Amino acid sequence: MERAVRELWAESRDLLGLGSSSLGDTAAAADVPRADLPPTPLAFLRDHVSPGRPLLVSAAGTRHWPAASLWPTASYLTDALRSTAVSLHLTPDGRADALAPHPHPGRPGSTSKCFASAHVRRVDFPTAVRLIRGSDPTAGLVAYAQQQDDCLRGEYAAVAGDVDAHVPWASEALGCLPEAVNLWIGNAHSVTSFHKDHYDNIYVVVSGEKHFLLLPPTEHHRLYVRDYPAAHYVAEEEDADGEHQLRLKLEMEEPGRIVPWSSVDPCPASPEEMTAQAASFPLYFDGPAPIRCTVRAGEMLYLPSMWFHHVSQSPGPNGLTIAVNYWYDMQFDIKYAYFNFLRSLEIDDCSSGKAGALEGDLEKKNDSE
């Protein structure tokens, strides 16, 4: 079975024109197709939506946005949103909606993994920007504005007019308007773990850069999706050395909830962790390299629904990474049935009994980038 699935990986990449170089062969890694001008709706539908192929569009597609010149400045957003309360997501390490260790309930002194969600706090926008710029994992606090509930047209409505309400060529090709338009503001410390979304995604960077690792849906098995108990961070207020401090503590959800999530960390922090990851998840580390794509200020990435993506970021001159994304509801067609069949298959990957059916599907749509 593993051999057949590996052949599927190679064939699907060839059909998409994306190549299948090995993980260590970065020089041969395929690029996402790039367009110097926005495509026509027909070309976009034919060449990208229908086959499920990503597309990177140059800054020509957003040059007319007021946000392109206003948002990267040091003060515009802070002035425009000075009296606006926003939702700020807080974690100790910049990894919200990701796996984290917690004490094992049946083995004192040992740990296991859980799916950890951020602590969300309502603050005024200037405070949010100050906390984002001051984020520091060594101090145990990283802030990220990532509300994902159509927030640009909600709590950030005062600046929503600085960008297009929708992406015209995408809306015409997809036959609908976006279900949600979100604003993302963070810095280099925020990382989004591998996941997929039930949306066709148009992702636009306004300041800084976003760095994507991409895997097509046919490579589902490589991410070792497993069931994890849900947890969330809660805030504890402390006074230390005369200063008021916020400390985050991980608590398991009650009643318990299970979340299927990718087990793979593609960027381990140390050689020892890389060795452990490679031994535990050989289908990822011995497979074709993920498709890498950096989206720079003004550029937009079309990410087809069900594509797995891991996202890191670099701030712009204003110390922030700012992006807008448009979520268009996906079409649940026969390709979705094929995907569900594929993920039901069991693969013996020789990883010390860690293979098995890759259960479940995260039906919560608004989970991450």
Side-chain angles (χ1 to χ4, degrees), residues 159-181:
V159 296
D162 293 342
V163 305
D164 285 347
H166 66 110
V167 182
W169 46 269
S171 298
E172 184 173 344
L174 295 168
C176 61
L177 294 173
E179 184 171 306
V181 184

PDB file of all heavy atoms in Angstrom, residues 159-181:
ATOM      1  N   VAL A 159     -11.459  49.991   8.928  1.00  0.00           N
ATOM      2  CA  VAL A 159     -10.420  50.035   7.899  1.00  0.00           C
ATOM      3  C   VAL A 159     -10.706  49.042   6.767  1.00  0.00           C
ATOM      4  O   VAL A 159      -9.880  48.864   5.866  1.00  0.00           O
ATOM      5  CB  VAL A 159      -9.017  49.762   8.493  1.00  0.00           C
ATOM      6  CG1 VAL A 159      -8.636  50.870   9.465  1.00  0.00           C
ATOM      7  CG2 VAL A 159      -8.958  48.397   9.171  1.00  0.00           C
ATOM      8  N   ALA A 160     -11.860  48.404   6.782  1.00  0.00           N
ATOM      9  CA  ALA A 160     -12.177  47.406   5.757  1.00  0.00           C
ATOM     10  C   ALA A 160     -12.232  48.023   4.362  1.00  0.00           C
ATOM     11  O   ALA A 160     -11.941  47.350   3.365  1.00  0.00           O
ATOM     12  CB  ALA A 160     -13.502  46.720   6.076  1.00  0.00           C
ATOM     13  N   GLY A 161     -12.581  49.293   4.264  1.00  0.00           N
ATOM     14  CA  GLY A 161     -12.649  49.955   2.975  1.00  0.00           C
ATOM     15  C   GLY A 161     -11.299  50.198   2.332  1.00  0.00           C
ATOM     16  O   GLY A 161     -11.231  50.620   1.172  1.00  0.00           O
ATOM     17  N   ASP A 162     -10.212  49.938   3.055  1.00  0.00           N
ATOM     18  CA  ASP A 162      -8.867  50.129   2.491  1.00  0.00           C
ATOM     19  C   ASP A 162      -8.455  48.988   1.571  1.00  0.00           C
ATOM     20  O   ASP A 162      -7.399  49.065   0.932  1.00  0.00           O
ATOM     21  CB  ASP A 162      -7.837  50.249   3.626  1.00  0.00           C
ATOM     22  CG  ASP A 162      -8.015  51.510   4.450  1.00  0.00           C
ATOM     23  OD1 ASP A 162      -8.683  52.447   3.969  1.00  0.00           O
ATOM     24  OD2 ASP A 162      -7.484  51.554   5.582  1.00  0.00           O
ATOM     25  N   VAL A 163      -9.238  47.899   1.535  1.00  0.00           N
ATOM     26  CA  VAL A 163      -8.961  46.776   0.646  1.00  0.00           C
ATOM     27  C   VAL A 163     -10.221  46.464  -0.146  1.00  0.00           C
ATOM     28  O   VAL A 163     -11.311  46.928   0.197  1.00  0.00           O
ATOM     29  CB  VAL A 163      -8.497  45.520   1.431  1.00  0.00           C
ATOM     30  CG1 VAL A 163      -7.305  45.842   2.316  1.00  0.00           C
ATOM     31  CG2 VAL A 163      -9.633  44.940   2.277  1.00  0.00           C
ATOM     32  N   ASP A 164     -10.096  45.682  -1.204  1.00  0.00           N
ATOM     33  CA  ASP A 164     -11.276  45.275  -1.963  1.00  0.00           C
ATOM     34  C   ASP A 164     -12.176  44.401  -1.100  1.00  0.00           C
ATOM     35  O   ASP A 164     -11.699  43.559  -0.328  1.00  0.00           O
ATOM     36  CB  ASP A 164     -10.868  44.492  -3.214  1.00  0.00           C
ATOM     37  CG  ASP A 164     -10.303  45.391  -4.301  1.00  0.00           C
ATOM     38  OD1 ASP A 164     -10.459  46.623  -4.193  1.00  0.00           O
ATOM     39  OD2 ASP A 164      -9.697  44.848  -5.260  1.00  0.00           O
ATOM     40  N   ALA A 165     -13.481  44.561  -1.264  1.00  0.00           N
ATOM     41  CA  ALA A 165     -14.432  43.756  -0.503  1.00  0.00           C
ATOM     42  C   ALA A 165     -14.383  42.289  -0.901  1.00  0.00           C
ATOM     43  O   ALA A 165     -14.741  41.404  -0.113  1.00  0.00           O
ATOM     44  CB  ALA A 165     -15.848  44.305  -0.697  1.00  0.00           C
ATOM     45  N   HIS A 166     -13.953  42.022  -2.119  1.00  0.00           N
ATOM     46  CA  HIS A 166     -13.766  40.655  -2.591  1.00  0.00           C
ATOM     47  C   HIS A 166     -12.742  40.712  -3.712  1.00  0.00           C
ATOM     48  O   HIS A 166     -12.274  41.792  -4.112  1.00  0.00           O
ATOM     49  CB  HIS A 166     -15.091  40.041  -3.063  1.00  0.00           C
ATOM     50  CG  HIS A 166     -15.665  40.687  -4.275  1.00  0.00           C
ATOM     51  ND1 HIS A 166     -15.724  40.080  -5.508  1.00  0.00           N
ATOM     52  CD2 HIS A 166     -16.198  41.931  -4.462  1.00  0.00           C
ATOM     53  CE1 HIS A 166     -16.279  40.894  -6.390  1.00  0.00           C
ATOM     54  NE2 HIS A 166     -16.574  42.030  -5.784  1.00  0.00           N
ATOM     55  N   VAL A 167     -12.339  39.551  -4.218  1.00  0.00           N
ATOM     56  CA  VAL A 167     -11.377  39.479  -5.318  1.00  0.00           C
ATOM     57  C   VAL A 167     -12.184  39.195  -6.582  1.00  0.00           C
ATOM     58  O   VAL A 167     -12.645  38.066  -6.774  1.00  0.00           O
ATOM     59  CB  VAL A 167     -10.328  38.376  -5.061  1.00  0.00           C
ATOM     60  CG1 VAL A 167      -9.304  38.334  -6.197  1.00  0.00           C
ATOM     61  CG2 VAL A 167      -9.645  38.593  -3.717  1.00  0.00           C
ATOM     62  N   PRO A 168     -12.406  40.194  -7.446  1.00  0.00           N
ATOM     63  CA  PRO A 168     -13.382  40.057  -8.532  1.00  0.00           C
ATOM     64  C   PRO A 168     -13.176  38.836  -9.430  1.00  0.00           C
ATOM     65  O   PRO A 168     -14.129  38.109  -9.730  1.00  0.00           O
ATOM     66  CB  PRO A 168     -13.230  41.370  -9.311  1.00  0.00           C
ATOM     67  CG  PRO A 168     -12.752  42.353  -8.283  1.00  0.00           C
ATOM     68  CD  PRO A 168     -11.841  41.565  -7.386  1.00  0.00           C
ATOM     69  N   TRP A 169     -11.942  38.595  -9.876  1.00  0.00           N
ATOM     70  CA  TRP A 169     -11.723  37.457 -10.775  1.00  0.00           C
ATOM     71  C   TRP A 169     -11.942  36.127 -10.071  1.00  0.00           C
ATOM     72  O   TRP A 169     -12.403  35.153 -10.684  1.00  0.00           O
ATOM     73  CB  TRP A 169     -10.334  37.516 -11.401  1.00  0.00           C
ATOM     74  CG  TRP A 169      -9.205  37.828 -10.461  1.00  0.00           C
ATOM     75  CD1 TRP A 169      -8.710  39.066 -10.156  1.00  0.00           C
ATOM     76  CD2 TRP A 169      -8.421  36.894  -9.714  1.00  0.00           C
ATOM     77  NE1 TRP A 169      -7.672  38.964  -9.256  1.00  0.00           N
ATOM     78  CE2 TRP A 169      -7.469  37.637  -8.971  1.00  0.00           C
ATOM     79  CE3 TRP A 169      -8.429  35.510  -9.595  1.00  0.00           C
ATOM     80  CZ2 TRP A 169      -6.532  37.047  -8.121  1.00  0.00           C
ATOM     81  CZ3 TRP A 169      -7.503  34.904  -8.755  1.00  0.00           C
ATOM     82  CH2 TRP A 169      -6.574  35.659  -8.032  1.00  0.00           C
ATOM     83  N   ALA A 170     -11.665  36.069  -8.764  1.00  0.00           N
ATOM     84  CA  ALA A 170     -11.912  34.836  -8.006  1.00  0.00           C
ATOM     85  C   ALA A 170     -13.408  34.653  -7.762  1.00  0.00           C
ATOM     86  O   ALA A 170     -13.941  33.539  -7.882  1.00  0.00           O
ATOM     87  CB  ALA A 170     -11.154  34.868  -6.690  1.00  0.00           C
ATOM     88  N   SER A 171     -14.088  35.731  -7.404  1.00  0.00           N
ATOM     89  CA  SER A 171     -15.527  35.638  -7.129  1.00  0.00           C
ATOM     90  C   SER A 171     -16.286  35.178  -8.369  1.00  0.00           C
ATOM     91  O   SER A 171     -17.205  34.346  -8.286  1.00  0.00           O
ATOM     92  CB  SER A 171     -16.067  36.989  -6.660  1.00  0.00           C
ATOM     93  OG  SER A 171     -15.445  37.391  -5.456  1.00  0.00           O
ATOM     94  N   GLU A 172     -15.909  35.702  -9.548  1.00  0.00           N
ATOM     95  CA  GLU A 172     -16.602  35.293 -10.764  1.00  0.00           C
ATOM     96  C   GLU A 172     -16.314  33.836 -11.097  1.00  0.00           C
ATOM     97  O   GLU A 172     -17.220  33.070 -11.457  1.00  0.00           O
ATOM     98  CB  GLU A 172     -16.201  36.197 -11.928  1.00  0.00           C
ATOM     99  CG  GLU A 172     -16.955  35.880 -13.211  1.00  0.00           C
ATOM    100  CD  GLU A 172     -16.697  36.878 -14.321  1.00  0.00           C
ATOM    101  OE1 GLU A 172     -16.177  37.978 -14.033  1.00  0.00           O
ATOM    102  OE2 GLU A 172     -17.017  36.553 -15.483  1.00  0.00           O
ATOM    103  N   ALA A 173     -15.063  33.421 -10.945  1.00  0.00           N
ATOM    104  CA  ALA A 173     -14.711  32.042 -11.267  1.00  0.00           C
ATOM    105  C   ALA A 173     -15.358  31.055 -10.302  1.00  0.00           C
ATOM    106  O   ALA A 173     -15.828  29.981 -10.715  1.00  0.00           O
ATOM    107  CB  ALA A 173     -13.185  31.876 -11.236  1.00  0.00           C
ATOM    108  N   LEU A 174     -15.419  31.405  -9.031  1.00  0.00           N
ATOM    109  CA  LEU A 174     -15.957  30.503  -8.013  1.00  0.00           C
ATOM    110  C   LEU A 174     -17.476  30.590  -7.891  1.00  0.00           C
ATOM    111  O   LEU A 174     -18.099  29.754  -7.232  1.00  0.00           O
ATOM    112  CB  LEU A 174     -15.302  30.806  -6.656  1.00  0.00           C
ATOM    113  CG  LEU A 174     -13.795  30.533  -6.599  1.00  0.00           C
ATOM    114  CD1 LEU A 174     -13.181  31.143  -5.339  1.00  0.00           C
ATOM    115  CD2 LEU A 174     -13.506  29.039  -6.658  1.00  0.00           C
ATOM    116  N   GLY A 175     -18.065  31.628  -8.492  1.00  0.00           N
ATOM    117  CA  GLY A 175     -19.521  31.740  -8.500  1.00  0.00           C
ATOM    118  C   GLY A 175     -20.117  32.193  -7.193  1.00  0.00           C
ATOM    119  O   GLY A 175     -21.301  31.949  -6.925  1.00  0.00           O
ATOM    120  N   CYS A 176     -19.335  32.869  -6.352  1.00  0.00           N
ATOM    121  CA  CYS A 176     -19.854  33.339  -5.057  1.00  0.00           C
ATOM    122  C   CYS A 176     -18.946  34.434  -4.519  1.00  0.00           C
ATOM    123  O   CYS A 176     -17.834  34.641  -5.007  1.00  0.00           O
ATOM    124  CB  CYS A 176     -19.939  32.184  -4.049  1.00  0.00           C
ATOM    125  SG  CYS A 176     -18.346  31.421  -3.680  1.00  0.00           S
ATOM    126  N   LEU A 177     -19.441  35.126  -3.504  1.00  0.00           N
ATOM    127  CA  LEU A 177     -18.639  36.093  -2.766  1.00  0.00           C
ATOM    128  C   LEU A 177     -17.988  35.395  -1.578  1.00  0.00           C
ATOM    129  O   LEU A 177     -18.440  34.324  -1.155  1.00  0.00           O
ATOM    130  CB  LEU A 177     -19.510  37.253  -2.300  1.00  0.00           C
ATOM    131  CG  LEU A 177     -20.085  38.135  -3.400  1.00  0.00           C
ATOM    132  CD1 LEU A 177     -21.066  39.147  -2.824  1.00  0.00           C
ATOM    133  CD2 LEU A 177     -18.969  38.846  -4.170  1.00  0.00           C
ATOM    134  N   PRO A 178     -16.928  35.958  -1.014  1.00  0.00           N
ATOM    135  CA  PRO A 178     -16.276  35.288   0.120  1.00  0.00           C
ATOM    136  C   PRO A 178     -17.195  35.169   1.328  1.00  0.00           C
ATOM    137  O   PRO A 178     -17.958  36.091   1.637  1.00  0.00           O
ATOM    138  CB  PRO A 178     -15.065  36.178   0.420  1.00  0.00           C
ATOM    139  CG  PRO A 178     -15.357  37.489  -0.224  1.00  0.00           C
ATOM    140  CD  PRO A 178     -16.232  37.192  -1.404  1.00  0.00           C
ATOM    141  N   GLU A 179     -17.106  34.020   1.994  1.00  0.00           N
ATOM    142  CA  GLU A 179     -17.879  33.804   3.205  1.00  0.00           C
ATOM    143  C   GLU A 179     -17.300  34.577   4.379  1.00  0.00           C
ATOM    144  O   GLU A 179     -18.016  34.972   5.294  1.00  0.00           O
ATOM    145  CB  GLU A 179     -17.918  32.310   3.520  1.00  0.00           C
ATOM    146  CG  GLU A 179     -18.795  31.952   4.715  1.00  0.00           C
ATOM    147  CD  GLU A 179     -18.969  30.451   4.857  1.00  0.00           C
ATOM    148  OE1 GLU A 179     -19.386  29.802   3.884  1.00  0.00           O
ATOM    149  OE2 GLU A 179     -18.682  29.941   5.959  1.00  0.00           O
ATOM    150  N   ALA A 180     -15.980  34.787   4.354  1.00  0.00           N
ATOM    151  CA  ALA A 180     -15.320  35.522   5.436  1.00  0.00           C
ATOM    152  C   ALA A 180     -14.109  36.249   4.879  1.00  0.00           C
ATOM    153  O   ALA A 180     -13.444  35.768   3.956  1.00  0.00           O
ATOM    154  CB  ALA A 180     -14.903  34.580   6.560  1.00  0.00           C
ATOM    155  N   VAL A 181     -13.838  37.429   5.448  1.00  0.00           N
ATOM    156  CA  VAL A 181     -12.631  38.189   5.132  1.00  0.00           C
ATOM    157  C   VAL A 181     -11.960  38.508   6.473  1.00  0.00           C
ATOM    158  O   VAL A 181     -12.569  39.134   7.342  1.00  0.00           O
ATOM    159  CB  VAL A 181     -12.943  39.489   4.370  1.00  0.00           C
ATOM    160  CG1 VAL A 181     -11.640  40.194   3.971  1.00  0.00           C
ATOM    161  CG2 VAL A 181     -13.801  39.210   3.144  1.00  0.00           C
TER     162      VAL A 181
END
